Amino acid sequence: MYLGIDLGTTNVKAVLTDDAGNIVAKGSAAVSLQHLGGHGVVQDLDEIWNAAKQAARRAVGSNGKSVRAIGVSSQGAALQILDADGCEVGPVIGWMDGRAKAFDEDFTRRKGKQWLCEHVGHGVSAMTPGQLLRLRSENELSSGFRVGFVGDRVVHRLCGRGAHDATSLSIAMFCNP
């Protein structure tokens, strides 16, 4: 049996499949969004983690001992700031959080489409660079901060170390595929 977990923006979904890829069972659990002034949208990583556990339990049921592997998919560029020790700081900044739009536009203007295409595979800055620039301008980033995302933080909680995939890092503009 194989367990797939999709850490969606408003719902975490889990699916259990057999060796042939046939769906054996499904589970889901809702996740809330907190809307802030100025187009801010944040989430609580503990709530996402608890929803992931709940969805997985619903899908796995009594088949837990037969699960051989777990795959995790996540909402793109949902940013989690970490301190120098790798501990989570503050809420998850959702991919739809619009507070960094002006920072992304300025970064795109300063670097140019050509530079962005060559370095991150996109012609305009979006999401992660702007959020980091916004947080830096608001003095919200501590010395030695790290960047995490919802998917790698849940993987970290599952197995003790985070893992990024190229697709998610590309959406976050940290990897040029």
Side-chain angles (χ1 to χ4, degrees), residues 46-159:
D46 288 331
E47 181 184 359
I48 295 168
W49 169 242
N50 288 328
K53 293 188 299 185
Q54 185 177 16
R57 281 189 197 109
R58 289 176 178 165
V60 170
S62 62
N63 296 305
K65 292 186 184 208
S66 61
V67 173
R68 297 190 339 213
I70 300 173
V72 177
S73 171
S74 180
Q75 52 181 298
L79 183 64
Q80 177 66 66
I81 299 298
L82 310 172
D83 66 17
D85 296 322
C87 297
E88 295 139 7
V89 177
V92 169
I93 301 170
W95 61 267
M96 74 295 284
D97 186 302
R99 293 176 290 172
K101 182 178 179 183
F103 292 91
D104 278 315
E105 290 170 350
D106 181 61
F107 188 67
T108 298
R109 183 187 53 72
R110 286 187 292 114
K111 291 296 185 181
K113 181 178 181 174
Q114 173 96 15
W115 186 93
L116 287 165
C117 284
E118 290 172 1
H119 288 83
V120 297
H122 302 277
V124 296
S125 178
M127 294 187 263
T128 308
Q131 290 295 356
L132 292 173
L133 291 167
R134 177 185 70 80
L135 291 167
R136 184 174 71 183
S137 78
E138 296 171 0
N139 295 315
E140 295 291 328
L141 298 175
S142 63
S143 176
F145 81 94
R146 299 179 188 180
V147 175
F149 297 95
V150 167
D152 81 281
R153 298 314 299 165
V154 168
V155 168
H156 185 271
R157 290 180 181 199
L158 282 168
C159 61

Side-chain angles (χ1 to χ4, degrees), residues 6-14 27-32 43 48 51-52 55 75:
D6 177 7
L7 305 168
T9 304
T10 58
N11 283 287
V12 174
K13 284 101 33 207
S28 66
V31 179
S32 63
Q43 292 182 288
I48 295 168
Q75 52 181 298

